[in-house]
Amino acid sequence: MPEDMQVQTASTAAGTQSLFRADVDQSGHWYVWRRLGANGWATFRHCETRERALELAKHLNTHPINVM
């Protein structure tokens, strides 16, 4: 994923490491991505719109859940 395509949530903009982020894939589809490690991300959930992806990533970062 090119770095310039990343959409930052409020927590990433504040400089903290987020577990989830909203971003598009190479086809232009919006997803919430989950951090796998220092340099790895995986798609977590497909979203119909950019707004929904941003909303969901923000919610997941502020209300942690146990996701395997």
Side-chain angles (χ1 to χ4, degrees):
M1 222 18 43
E3 197 62 32
D4 61 330
M5 292 180 72
Q6 180 177 347
V7 176
Q8 295 184 340
T9 62
S11 55
T12 57
T16 60
Q17 294 256 336
S18 297
L19 186 58
F20 298 93
R21 75 173 195 210
D23 205 348
V24 294
D25 66 5
Q26 293 179 345
S27 300
H29 298 273
W30 281 94
Y31 286 87
V32 172
W33 297 72
R34 185 181 189 280
R35 181 181 294 278
L36 297 178
N39 297 315
W41 292 88
T43 56
F44 178 71
R45 181 162 305 150
H46 178 261
C47 295
E48 294 296 320
T49 64
R50 175 184 184 267
E51 291 76 21
R52 180 62 185 135
L54 290 169
E55 211 175 82
L56 182 56
K58 182 177 178 181
H59 176 79
L60 290 168
N61 282 318
T62 57
H63 299 89
I65 59 173
N66 187 12
V67 179
M68 297 302 257

